[in-house]
Amino acid sequence: MDLALPTGQVVVCDPFTGLGPFAPRPFTTAVHPGRYPVTVAVASFDNGGEPTRVAAAARLSVTDAPVAGWELALVDDQDVADLGERELFGYETDHGDVCFVDASAVSALADHEDWLIEALAAYAAADFRLPPVRAVGSAGEEIAAFTTGRGYGFYPTWVGRTESGDVASFVTDFLVLEEPSTTSGGPS
């Protein structure tokens, strides 16, 4: 699905606790206003004899150009120099629900809960075979929402940059392949 970013200021958060007056600030890295595709990468594995599928990462694609490097997505008062070894900045999700949203839509979409609960339940029941859920506010504001399939978590978002330094994508990493307290050089 494509997501409208009318200001190009990206926010990633839990759609049930992160929208409204206490919403997180947008990342300092912004993109040109426009519509951008959002996709979810799914990991499948055997969990003690039970086939399991969870979201491994979600990407907001800005360009098809190859990513040459990754950096942690930051908000205005964060500095990677303040992080200790194996620390990262990110966002919390109470039940594993996540959304990409433009900063201009954060307040307007705070009253979407009843509809979104049902839509995300259908998304989870489809075992990640549906595109992210698009919720649209009364003035056309949009979010791209999905569930991780993992419940509570704290997750980083990375900015992928092209060889020329332009933003290629934002990837929120659900840390399926490593312990939540670790960081790496970004998604692969």
Side-chain angles (χ1 to χ4, degrees), residues 3-102:
L3 174 67
L5 295 177
T7 69
Q9 296 179 301
V10 178
V11 174
V12 180
C13 64
D14 182 317
F16 298 109
T17 60
L19 298 179
F22 303 108
R25 292 163 301 199
F27 296 126
T28 55
T29 299
V31 297
H32 294 290
R35 294 191 71 79
Y36 299 100
V38 175
T39 55
V40 177
V42 177
S44 299
F45 56 92
D46 184 311
N47 186 13
E50 185 72 30
T52 302
R53 291 171 55 90
V54 297
R59 178 179 63 206
L60 184 139
S61 298
V62 178
T63 180
D64 290 334
V67 172
W70 295 96
E71 62 192 48
L72 196 56
L74 304 171
V75 298
D76 60 12
D77 64 346
Q78 295 174 333
D79 185 340
V80 293
D82 295 335
L83 294 172
E85 186 178 335
R86 301 172 58 89
E87 290 183 325
L88 50 84
F89 293 115
Y91 60 93
E92 280 185 281
T93 175
D94 287 346
H95 301 286
D97 300 312
V98 179
C99 72
F100 284 98
V101 61
D102 188 87

Side-chain angles (χ1 to χ4, degrees), residues 83-159:
L83 294 172
E85 186 178 335
R86 301 172 58 89
E87 290 183 325
L88 50 84
F89 293 115
Y91 60 93
E92 280 185 281
T93 175
D94 287 346
H95 301 286
D97 300 312
V98 179
C99 72
F100 284 98
V101 61
D102 188 87
S104 67
V106 167
S107 293
L109 291 167
D111 296 324
H112 65 285
E113 275 191 32
D114 293 338
W115 177 86
L116 192 55
I117 288 170
E118 291 179 24
L120 286 175
Y123 176 84
D127 203 21
F128 300 97
R129 287 180 174 80
L130 297 173
V133 173
R134 181 182 322 163
V136 181
S138 60
E141 308 91 353
E142 298 179 7
I143 62 172
F146 44 90
T147 186
T148 66
R150 297 184 66 202
Y152 172 82
F154 182 84
Y155 304 114
T157 300
W158 300 90
V159 178

